[in-house]
Amino acid sequence: MLHAARALVQRAAARTSYSLSASFATTSTRCAAKGKKSEKQGDIINFNDQYSFTDAPDPEHVNYKRVTANDLEHEREPPRRVKMLVRDFIEDSLYNPNYGYFSKQATIFTAAEPIDFPSMRNMTHFEAEVAERYASYGVDGDGPGKQIWHTPTELLKPWYGRALARCLVSEYLLKFFPYEDFVIYEIGAGNGTLALDVLDYLQEDYPDVYERTRYNIIEISENLANLQRQKLQSAHPCVTVHNKSIFRWDVREPAPCYFVAMEVIDNFAHDMIRYDLRTLEPYQGLVTVDAKGNFSTYYTKVVDPLISSFLGLRRYLNHPPPIPRLLKLSSTFRTFYTNLPFAPNLSPPEFIPTRLLTLLRTLRRHFPRHRLLLSDFSSLPDTIQGVNAPVVQTRYQNTTVPCTTLLVKQGYFDIFFPTDFEKLCDMYEHILEQPLPLAEVERERARLTPLSMTASPLAEGNSFFSSYHPKNRRSPVDGVPSSSGLPVGERKSAVYTHAEFMKTYADLNKTRLKSGENPMLDTYENVKFLF
């Protein structure tokens, strides 16, 4: 489906269930066929689908080595006899340089020529055209197929990228031109198509801005980083590609900048927690891999600092945990409920975006004057069981196969999550309000630009004219007054649906079909923007 998941199939086609080939299905894989078991020797099902402390892994797991995704970066094959947090299992599965999904399996759908939207009769014709272009990648053989997925950047090029460019340049012209350079950072730039479309638009329509543009790409994949350099740097010398994880970024950008993340955070690793239904105490989930490669999960009290930090922030922001109201209100009812025959003693799994929290802290620390433009899925079909659970899927014989468990062979499956944008906005704004360390504040004050109208911090005098501070504005940043000269602070971010954002910034005439339908508005209905 166009707005359902990454792999696009025609709407009329029914999704078929398959039992995956034993060559790449792990011993704990349940995919699509709800746990059909291969007849091959040793291909057993070991998926923990009960909500109980008694579902223990291999007793030898206490002797397994505790590892992180960083520890596994140099491994050539998925490890055995190890245990790790769920976020490390996901991160290793997706990003390991030697066997990760994005390193070895994923292929981004790229149309050689943009689709001629005005020539399309209707959405059915448009979808048939996209399906035909997908077919050009060839027929899958046995085992895992070509892991092809599309993005709106590729499907709607160049008009999608130009809409984002129009959004960014309008903000830049209003606030900083001509006193500051137009600095853009993009993470997860894929094939570089978005950067190309943005820069082509600036070069054609805003040559004065283009001359002051610095476009930085932060890309974890070495293969994609090389592709981006080949595609972009000859046409646009203002591009710099940094082959580095954003989670290891350590360079401070003191200038105003725009930070772009399009369909990136859905693949950020999450942690899994469950609550003891007797005490409502959270427990962190860990994955074990035994000597045969079988997966299991088990739970311990939360001791991981990042998980603890996220849960503390959630309490501060009054985002309640996903526990039924009656259980939260009454310890007597909890005791009665958990003593019922066959009653679970753990809540269903909840997946919490701990890596997203790390990103927001990185932005606060290393990009103190950034403006974030972010877009991703707000909901997804075919998710596995749990709260805020991901879609786990692969392609098999040219068909997208959704799975019912996270515990699948590393590297062969896409794992992507929906995002609660309203909660993300709360968390993001709260983190931006946190004060920087004093030494960093002093460095900010030392940076003088034509926009700095005083040597003293504007924040110190922000109530000189009025004690009122609008709720939709952040606290003022030193040296950045408004156009009126009053330090009223930056406008806070807001959440938009995909259609709302495109109605504001896209040239909709360029993507309108003969029927009047518009793929720019009618697709990606489960996508939102934060800006």
Side-chain angles (χ1 to χ4, degrees):
M1 300 254 184
L2 274 172
H3 56 275
R6 291 190 187 278
L8 182 143
V9 295
Q10 290 179 287
R11 291 185 182 180
R15 187 170 269 168
T16 307
S17 295
Y18 292 92
S19 179
L20 293 184
S21 165
S23 63
F24 68 103
T26 71
T27 56
S28 52
T29 298
R30 281 189 180 185
C31 290
K34 300 292 183 185
K36 277 191 180 177
K37 179 166 147 180
S38 170
E39 296 179 0
K40 293 192 180 242
Q41 179 90 16
D43 191 20
I44 59 174
I45 296 299
N46 191 23
F47 172 57
N48 172 20
D49 58 358
Q50 301 298 314
Y51 307 147
S52 173
F53 286 119
T54 61
D55 299 307
D58 177 0
E60 287 295 312
H61 81 274
V62 294
N63 299 319
Y64 291 174
K65 181 181 179 182
R66 175 77 175 268
V67 296
T68 68
N70 291 340
D71 297 330
L72 299 175
E73 281 185 350
H74 301 293
E75 296 291 331
R76 309 299 299 183
E77 298 290 338
R80 303 288 177 92
R81 292 184 59 82
V82 296
K83 54 188 175 183
M84 66 194 89
L85 288 168
V86 168
R87 73 166 180 266
D88 290 302
F89 176 77
I90 295 172
E91 199 159 294
D92 180 59
S93 298
L94 294 177
Y95 299 110
N96 185 283
N98 298 309
Y99 52 79
Y101 177 82
F102 286 105
S103 304
K104 299 300 180 185
Q105 299 294 331
T107 300
I108 302 174
F109 168 82
T110 304
E113 296 293 332
I115 294 174
D116 184 5
F117 294 97
S119 70
M120 300 284 108
R121 294 187 302 274
N122 50 32
M123 285 296 294
T124 301
H125 187 191
F126 167 71
E127 292 172 12
E129 172 69 19
V130 175
E132 183 177 336
R133 297 191 182 204
Y134 259 80
S136 68
Y137 282 86
V139 178
D140 292 336
D142 294 333
K146 299 179 182 69
Q147 303 301 306
I148 305 170
W149 45 269
H150 72 277
T151 65
T153 299
E154 298 287 351
L155 200 62
L156 302 170
K157 70 177 185 184
W159 312 114
Y160 181 86
R162 287 177 173 244
L164 302 188
R166 188 174 290 112
C167 168
L168 296 175
V169 76
S170 63
E171 287 280 315
Y172 169 71
L173 290 172
L174 178 65
K175 295 177 181 176
F176 302 116
F177 182 79
Y179 304 110
E180 298 275 8
D181 285 345
F182 189 25
V183 183
I184 301 173
Y185 284 84
E186 182 186 359
I187 58 171
N191 290 338
T193 301
L194 176 61
L196 183 65
D197 292 341
V198 168
L199 292 169
D200 284 349
Y201 173 79
L202 294 176
Q203 192 174 41
E204 294 169 14
D205 289 20
Y206 295 92
D208 292 341
V209 172
Y210 178 79
E211 289 180 0
R212 305 207 57 163
T213 299
R214 290 189 283 125
Y215 203 107
N216 300 274
I217 294 175
I218 304 172
E219 176 58 60
I220 190 173
S221 167
E222 183 178 0
N223 292 336
L224 288 177
N226 291 332
L227 177 62
Q228 292 156 7
R229 293 187 184 104
Q230 295 170 10
K231 186 173 187 175
L232 295 167
Q233 289 182 335
S234 59
H236 299 289
C238 60
V239 173
T240 302
V241 179
H242 308 269
N243 184 199
K244 192 172 189 178
S245 168
I246 183 59
F247 301 119
R248 293 180 176 174
W249 189 260
D250 56 0
V251 180
R252 185 178 178 80
E253 175 57 79
C257 61
Y258 296 88
F259 200 93
V260 179
M262 297 290 111
E263 279 199 58
V264 175
I265 64 170
D266 59 310
N267 286 121
F268 277 9
H270 286 49
D271 273 292
M272 184 175 73
I273 60 171
R274 288 181 172 178
Y275 287 87
D276 183 345
L277 294 181
R278 301 181 188 90
T279 64
L280 302 188
E281 182 180 7
Y283 281 73
Q284 61 189 24
L286 292 95
V287 176
T288 67
V289 189
D290 69 14
K292 295 181 179 180
N294 298 339
F295 300 121
S296 294
T297 54
Y298 75 102
Y299 308 92
T300 66
K301 292 186 177 182
V302 174
V303 294
D304 177 70
L306 186 55
I307 296 177
S308 298
S309 180
F310 179 89
L311 296 177
L313 176 58
R314 184 164 72 174
R315 285 191 296 270
Y316 179 84
L317 295 174
N318 293 318
H319 295 165
I323 298 173
R325 183 169 176 270
L326 281 176
L327 292 180
K328 286 190 286 187
L329 289 178
S330 172
S331 59
T332 302
F333 185 81
R334 290 199 298 271
T335 301
F336 170 76
Y337 177 75
T338 54
N339 284 328
L340 291 173
F342 308 110
N345 54 22
L346 285 177
S347 68
E350 180 194 7
F351 294 87
I352 57 174
T354 40
R355 271 308 197 186
L356 179 56
L357 176 59
T358 304
L359 172 68
L360 300 184
R361 288 174 169 171
T362 300
L363 293 177
R364 178 70 183 100
R365 184 173 185 83
H366 295 298
F367 305 87
R369 296 178 64 188
H370 77 277
R371 184 72 190 274
L372 177 62
L373 174 59
L374 181 151
S375 178
D376 226 303
F377 298 111
S378 57
S379 62
L380 289 168
D382 298 321
T383 60
I384 66 173
Q385 193 172 38
V387 178
N388 194 43
V391 172
V392 182
Q393 67 179 27
T394 191
R395 270 171 58 94
Y396 179 70
Q397 295 182 354
N398 292 89
T399 300
T400 299
V401 182
C403 302
T404 60
T405 175
L406 181 69
L407 304 180
V408 290
K409 185 172 177 63
Q410 300 96 317
Y412 287 98
F413 295 80
D414 194 3
I415 303 170
F416 55 107
F417 293 82
T419 296
D420 187 324
F421 272 76
E422 285 67 27
K423 290 180 180 178
L424 166 60
C425 190
D426 288 348
M427 187 165 62
Y428 173 60
E429 291 297 334
H430 173 75
I431 289 173
L432 289 191
E433 288 286 350
Q434 302 310 300
L436 288 169
L438 183 59
E440 296 179 12
V441 173
E442 292 301 326
R443 284 203 299 270
E444 286 295 301
R445 294 179 183 179
R447 183 180 182 274
L448 297 178
T449 75
L451 289 175
S452 299
M453 307 175 79
T454 175
S456 63
L458 286 169
E460 293 177 4
N462 65 357
S463 61
F464 180 82
F465 294 98
S466 171
S467 60
Y468 171 69
H469 187 78
K471 291 183 179 180
N472 66 341
R473 313 294 290 192
R474 297 178 190 145
S475 298
V477 177
D478 186 30
V480 189
S482 70
S483 57
S484 65
L486 299 180
V488 295
E490 185 84 13
R491 178 176 63 84
K492 289 185 177 181
S493 295
V495 176
Y496 307 90
T497 65
H498 180 87
E500 288 172 343
F501 186 90
M502 291 302 161
K503 285 177 182 177
T504 303
Y505 295 108
D507 185 351
L508 297 178
N509 291 326
K510 301 294 187 181
T511 55
R512 186 171 287 114
L513 311 184
K514 290 181 178 179
S515 64
E517 296 170 291
N518 200 318
M520 188 71 84
L521 301 179
D522 299 335
T523 56
Y524 300 102
E525 295 172 1
N526 61 336
V527 166
K528 289 184 178 180
F529 280 81
L530 179 73
F531 183 66

